[in-house]
Amino acid sequence: MSRAADAAGAPSTSPPGVLPWLAGPLADALRHQRGHALLVQGAQGAGQFEFAIALARAWLCESPASGRPDGIACGHCESCRLVAADQIHPDLCVLLPEARHLALGWQRPGDMPDGGDTKRKPSEWISIRQVRSAIEFSTLTSGRGRLKVVVIHPAERMQPAAASALLKLLEEPQGGQRFVLACGDATGLLPTVRSRCHALTLPAPDSVLAARWLADAGLPDAAALLVASGGAPLAALERHALGLDAALWSKLPALVAAGDPQPLQRLPMPLVIESLHKLCHDAMLAACGVAPRYFAAGSVPADAAIERLVDWGDALRRAARHAEHPWNAALLVESLVLQGRRALRG
Ligand SMILES: [Zn+2]
């Protein structure tokens, strides 16, 4: 079941299948629907994909509109069930990079890497083959006699040839077909694709609703983890699943100041580097007398040496380029923590 569908079960007042902080923007989008293509932008981990699916689900919902407040999907008709549970709705085409299928809980039996090679690393890109499948989908008659919807996420991860092929589809839409392109960074999209879409920017998630949702999902000290994740609830959930909880986060400044890399060694390298980067960022703020953004006030040393922080930040950026394949992960973590220690000690 997808994360969007998981949200349906979350004990909150949000409509079924809708993450609580997305309910307001979703109602607005449904009320002011314009054009056949929508470009949804939002911060990483804020729920753009879940928003796109909730929108598609609402458009495809077969319950009478009069019984659905704000036009949001009912969550129990056959169409809603097909989207949420089996993900085999005949009038919904979802394009994701192979690498995102599993992470987003959107994996169908037929979702094989291009060419069927299961040993190959899953692609981080949306291929021309996938866009061609959407073009083929657009030529078919609606399976349930209503609209057809194509969801693409993250749209900025379309290969150039794939984006060009999509452009043709956006320029000559078939009747009764809608597109939702969800993305974190619209500048990565072809300007010609952007110009054919109605842009919608998601507001930052409401922190109270998001923290409550995380607490309902079983995260202790959810508010702290939400701050650690820049206010992005799905990013907080993902970090927690990877082993970064609020207790470790609160200890991180002291661990680095003491030069102790041990508790970080069990985390994936990209997460270690990102976490150290946030500490470096907050130490820079603290050194300038500004309140930290990701860590609790007072937990970050305020007397770090700016030049050493700059060097540490550069080393973290270099390490980030090879974070997926470090030559020696344990040694790299140790080296980055020791460099952080020197910087934090001023
Ligand atoms: Zn429905």
Side-chain angles (χ1 to χ4, degrees):
M1 182 178 279
S2 70
R3 287 193 317 205
D6 285 343
S12 74
T13 53
S14 60
V18 182
L19 293 164
W21 61 92
L22 296 179
L26 181 64
D28 279 350
L30 288 166
R31 218 176 291 132
H32 302 118
Q33 162 62 28
R34 281 186 226 115
H36 66 287
L38 194 62
L39 175 60
V40 178
Q41 304 173 64
Q44 200 68 32
Q48 308 101 298
F49 176 66
E50 286 74 7
F51 183 87
I53 293 296
L55 205 50
R57 208 173 173 210
W59 288 334
L60 295 169
C61 179
E62 293 168 1
S63 286
S66 57
R68 296 192 278 127
D70 299 318
I72 289 173
C74 73
H76 53 72
C77 71
E78 180 62 6
S79 173
C80 285
R81 194 191 67 73
L82 287 171
V83 175
D86 301 317
Q87 303 169 7
I88 50 167
H89 198 295
D91 297 327
L92 175 62
C93 173
V94 178
L95 304 188
L96 299 169
E98 293 161 2
R100 305 279 179 113
H101 278 279
L102 198 58
L104 290 167
W106 199 268
Q107 187 149 35
R108 295 183 287 189
D111 288 332
M112 295 281 287
D114 277 2
D117 179 3
T118 51
K119 288 183 186 158
R120 184 174 52 76
K121 190 171 180 281
S123 172
E124 294 282 352
W125 292 89
I126 294 168
S127 67
I128 177 98
R129 181 189 69 93
Q130 289 173 286
V131 172
R132 282 192 187 125
S133 74
I135 293 171
E136 202 181 312
F137 166 83
S138 74
T139 62
L140 303 173
T141 311
S142 163
R144 298 188 66 84
R146 291 171 172 251
L147 287 170
K148 291 195 299 178
V149 186
V150 177
V151 169
I152 303 176
H153 172 76
E156 68 269 41
R157 301 295 287 180
M158 273 187 287
Q159 288 171 335
S164 298
L166 177 73
L167 189 59
K168 206 151 176 49
L169 201 53
L170 291 175
E171 280 171 343
E172 299 161 15
Q174 307 289 317
Q177 184 155 359
R178 290 185 184 170
F179 297 84
V180 191
L181 279 66
C183 72
D185 178 14
T187 58
L189 271 173
L190 282 180
T192 39
V193 169
R194 282 207 307 266
S195 67
R196 274 156 187 80
C197 300
H198 179 74
L200 188 157
T201 303
L202 292 178
D206 179 284
S207 59
V208 174
L209 289 177
R212 195 182 304 147
W213 180 78
L214 287 170
D216 288 346
L219 266 66
D221 210 355
L225 206 52
L226 187 61
V227 172
S229 306
L234 297 174
L237 194 65
E238 193 177 344
R239 286 190 180 117
H240 187 264
L242 290 170
L244 182 55
D245 57 19
L248 176 54
W249 188 258
S250 67
K251 277 190 277 185
L252 190 62
L255 286 171
V256 174
D260 179 5
Q262 212 51 44
L264 296 177
Q265 298 284 15
R266 61 188 157 88
L267 302 179
M269 183 57 74
L271 184 56
V272 172
I273 293 173
E274 187 210 284
S275 302
L276 294 177
H277 227 137
K278 284 179 172 169
L279 178 56
C280 182
H281 171 273
D282 273 9
M284 199 80 85
L285 292 181
C288 299
V290 179
R293 179 178 173 197
Y294 302 105
F295 291 87
S299 70
V300 180
D303 52 356
I306 298 275
E307 313 79 56
R308 285 183 179 175
L309 286 175
V310 171
D311 289 345
W312 189 31
D314 286 345
L316 289 166
R317 265 186 290 281
R318 281 195 300 276
R321 281 185 222 126
H322 308 288
E324 298 288 348
H325 307 287
W327 58 274
N328 185 326
L331 213 58
L332 180 59
V333 172
E334 193 177 326
S335 153
L336 292 172
V337 167
L338 286 178
Q339 194 169 353
R341 177 187 184 223
R342 281 195 294 277
L344 293 184
R345 288 193 163 186

